[in-house]
Amino acid sequence: MTTIHRSLVLGCSALALASCGADEIVSPGTGGNITINNTGSPTATPTPTPTPTTSLVTPAAGCPTISDPTGLTDSGTISGPTGEYRVCTLPARIAASSTLPYIEGLVYRIDGRVDVGTDGGPVATGADTDVQLTIEPGVIVYASGSSFLNVNRGNTIQANGTAARPIIFTSRDNVQGLNTSNSSGQWGGVVLSGRAPVTDCIAPGATPGTTACERQVEGAAQPALFGGATGNDSSGSMKFVQIRYSGFVLSGDNELQSLTTGGVGSGTTLENIMSYNSSDDGVEFFGGNVNVKRLIVVGAEDDGLDTDTGVKSNMQYVIVVQRPGTGDTIIEADSTNGLEEQTPRQNTRISNATFIADSGVGDQAIRIRGFADYTIVNSLLFDRSGGTPCLRIDGTETLDRAAGANDESGPVAFNSFVLDCATDFRDSSGGVTAAAIQARYDAGSNNNANFTNTLTMTFVNGSNESGVVVFDPTALSSFFEVPGEIGAVFAANRTWVNGWTCNSATVSFDSAVSNCTSLPVYN
């Protein structure tokens, strides 16, 4: 059985590993750029899935020619349960727009920190390198240790897979078939660095949300900066992408995520992204204007969704499932520090999430703090561990502050958000009691803290979920569509998880795909 595993890894690290130094082997043809149309709303027709082959993969004859002047380095072959592959190592910096074509029997390797283009600074100029890295459907990219991919400001990525052939970023051990259902932290991840506004500037005295306010990618030893004042900046497009086994730990508080966005603008497209077994967060958004549809996070060992430093984010159709006894929170929103009044203020809005808590920590499933504005609608939170409170909100300013000055959009808000936890609310710091949090929750419409879930397959709505009245999320933003039901997966959109995902002991999405511990093999 072959496995198709999808996960987005955006990580931060600046420790470059040495290239293996093998001689380059070039074969004709680079493929070409492929444009994948926006998938839009899923239909009821099942997505075709790849048919596994019965024979082992054999290595491609050599590495393709790409437009980058350094080119790809032929690093020999690597073997695993699905066969033997030609290894083509990316240059440390992709200096010209290039395409990584899908070639049977070939995998691409990230060795150390790989930059897409050169950082163009917080403002677009004629000096921007404007490099675009295009990755074709079905491509597998692997790495190990502190290696990660960083898309610099003024450059873009077009990693657009398909439901039948997702793009997979994964670890060397995954290629070699060495992983188990608990493997994690085997490489860095994927980082998108943009020019949208951020807070918590690294320059003393810089005004937040301006071109003077920049931040450095967490854990990067060499400068990897993000931030600016271009709200609609584009870092490109990622669709049908899996990021597996990421989250390499550099040192205390310097871990890499599957997918990290820093100052990414609303011109960036993120759809059908799966993070699997990150040793840190599933995704972490630092500032910017980040919009995501159809996001899956499985087995993250810290937070599923981490949002910080003034991010404005909209997310619809989100599944987060914790690995049993592993992980911290489903949601961690902002940090408590002395910069909480800086603007832009975080404002994250989520519609149609299915959250399955199973924490190894047990403090809380959702934690909102740091004066963050946060809205959750049309969603379900179920604590299957039985020992983790659902909701914690720190500080009266976060809980109750009215809309007005300092980019404040109003108190945290919940509508058509149901909770199935042994303990729904917990006392928090800053004098906020469980009763006060419950009062804020009860102020919303069609909420139910005494809900009994009837989910099947861990994430698919049953009769109780179908009976909850839907809140119209288009009142929050035109990004959202009006759903048929609450939750991430229901009868009318059942098939969006099919084909491009992978299964594990934590959760199985589609009987037609196999386990995340293996690689897909296409006819």
Side-chain angles (χ1 to χ4, degrees):
M1 185 187 302
T2 59
T3 298
I4 299 178
H5 168 80
R6 162 180 165 68
S7 100
L8 243 189
V9 181
L10 280 179
C12 335
S13 160
L15 303 178
L17 301 181
S19 170
C20 69
D23 292 336
E24 181 178 2
I25 299 176
V26 176
S27 62
T30 63
N33 293 352
I34 293 181
T35 300
I36 306 298
N37 292 330
N38 191 314
T39 57
S41 300
T43 66
T45 303
T47 304
T49 56
T51 302
T53 61
T54 55
S55 58
L56 295 178
V57 171
T58 57
C63 296
T65 300
I66 63 174
S67 299
D68 178 85
T70 302
L72 300 168
T73 299
D74 189 321
S75 301
T77 64
I78 187 171
S79 297
T82 51
E84 185 178 6
Y85 299 84
R86 176 70 52 196
V87 177
C88 299
T89 301
L90 301 179
R93 185 180 306 277
I94 299 171
S97 294
S98 302
T99 295
L100 303 183
Y102 171 77
I103 297 174
E104 187 176 349
L106 185 149
V107 291
Y108 297 93
R109 173 177 173 241
I110 296 172
D111 184 14
R113 169 177 163 176
V114 171
D115 285 287
V116 177
T118 300
D119 178 31
V123 179
T125 70
D128 279 351
T129 50
D130 291 321
V131 171
Q132 177 172 288
L133 174 63
T134 300
I135 304 177
E136 291 188 349
V139 162
I140 297 171
V141 182
Y142 82 88
S144 60
S146 59
S147 300
F148 73 104
L149 180 68
N150 179 49
V151 180
N152 283 296
R153 292 178 294 188
N155 305 277
T156 57
I157 186 171
Q158 295 292 330
N160 297 316
T162 66
R165 292 198 176 192
I167 294 165
I168 298 174
F169 292 91
T170 192
S171 69
R172 179 181 60 198
D173 283 7
N174 193 196
V175 178
Q176 295 176 312
L178 303 176
N179 284 342
T180 70
S181 60
N182 293 318
S183 298
S184 67
Q186 296 176 339
W187 69 289
V190 178
V191 178
L192 304 182
S193 299
R195 287 169 164 154
V198 301
T199 63
D200 297 41
C201 324
I202 57 175
T207 301
T210 70
T211 56
C213 186
E214 300 174 281
R215 290 182 55 81
Q216 182 167 333
V217 169
E218 184 178 284
Q222 302 297 324
L225 300 175
F226 61 84
T230 307
N232 63 350
D233 187 49
S234 175
S235 295
S237 175
M238 299 183 76
K239 301 178 185 178
F240 294 103
V241 176
Q242 297 180 21
I243 302 169
R244 309 178 184 182
Y245 306 109
S246 62
F248 193 81
V249 178
L250 300 175
S251 61
D253 298 322
N254 277 327
E255 301 91 5
L256 311 176
Q257 286 72 235
S258 284
L259 172 61
T260 301
T261 70
V264 162
S266 60
T268 306
T269 298
L270 298 173
E271 296 178 358
N272 294 81
I273 306 295
M274 179 178 178
S275 165
Y276 178 71
N277 277 20
S278 168
S279 67
D280 197 52
D281 302 327
V283 297
E284 185 161 12
F285 302 150
F286 292 98
N289 301 309
V290 186
N291 296 321
V292 188
K293 274 192 178 169
R294 294 176 292 277
L295 171 65
I296 297 174
V297 175
V298 175
E301 294 177 5
D302 192 6
D303 309 312
L305 312 175
D306 195 340
T307 51
D308 211 339
T309 62
V311 66
K312 308 286 189 183
S313 182
N314 297 309
M315 295 180 254
Q316 188 167 24
Y317 305 118
V318 179
I319 298 172
V320 181
V321 183
Q322 292 183 315
R323 211 159 73 236
T326 304
D328 189 2
T329 67
I330 296 283
I331 290 173
E332 182 178 51
D334 230 304
S335 300
T336 300
N337 58 39
L339 307 176
E340 294 167 350
E341 287 285 16
Q342 289 191 354
T343 59
R345 185 184 305 282
Q346 175 176 170
N347 189 3
T348 294
R349 297 170 286 198
I350 298 174
S351 181
N352 296 96
T354 298
F355 297 136
I356 309 299
D358 211 345
S359 175
V361 177
D363 286 344
Q364 62 276 314
I366 294 176
R367 185 179 189 182
I368 304 170
R369 58 182 176 176
F371 293 11
D373 296 333
Y374 219 95
T375 301
I376 301 175
V377 303
N378 300 323
S379 297
L380 162 72
L381 170 56
F382 168 44
D383 172 39
R384 64 182 177 187
S385 74
T388 303
C390 271
L391 188 58
R392 170 179 178 174
I393 301 171
D394 291 357
T396 56
E397 296 285 359
T398 305
L399 181 69
D400 290 326
R401 195 174 196 178
N406 293 328
D407 195 31
E408 174 62 62
S409 66
V412 291
F414 310 102
N415 294 284
S416 301
F417 180 33
V418 297
L419 307 178
D420 186 354
C421 301
T423 303
D424 294 309
F425 312 99
R426 60 154 287 182
D427 291 338
S428 304
S429 62
V432 177
T433 65
I437 297 171
Q438 182 172 0
R440 174 56 55 202
Y441 173 86
D442 289 343
S445 60
N446 302 307
N447 296 323
N448 182 357
N450 297 306
F451 189 77
T452 300
N453 87 84
T454 53
L455 296 169
T456 61
M457 291 184 65
T458 304
F459 59 90
V460 180
N461 281 6
S463 58
N464 286 358
E465 290 77 26
S466 299
V468 178
V469 176
V470 168
F471 176 85
D472 183 355
T474 61
L476 305 174
S477 169
S478 60
F479 166 82
F480 295 105
E481 61 189 36
V482 179
E485 297 182 14
I486 71 163
V489 180
F490 44 90
N493 76 343
R494 173 64 183 84
T495 61
W496 73 261
V497 300
N498 288 0
W500 62 277
T501 50
C502 63
N503 298 329
S504 66
T506 303
V507 57
S508 293
F509 291 102
D510 179 3
S511 61
V513 301
S514 52
N515 289 328
C516 304
T517 51
S518 180
L519 300 181
V521 177
Y522 305 115
N523 284 331

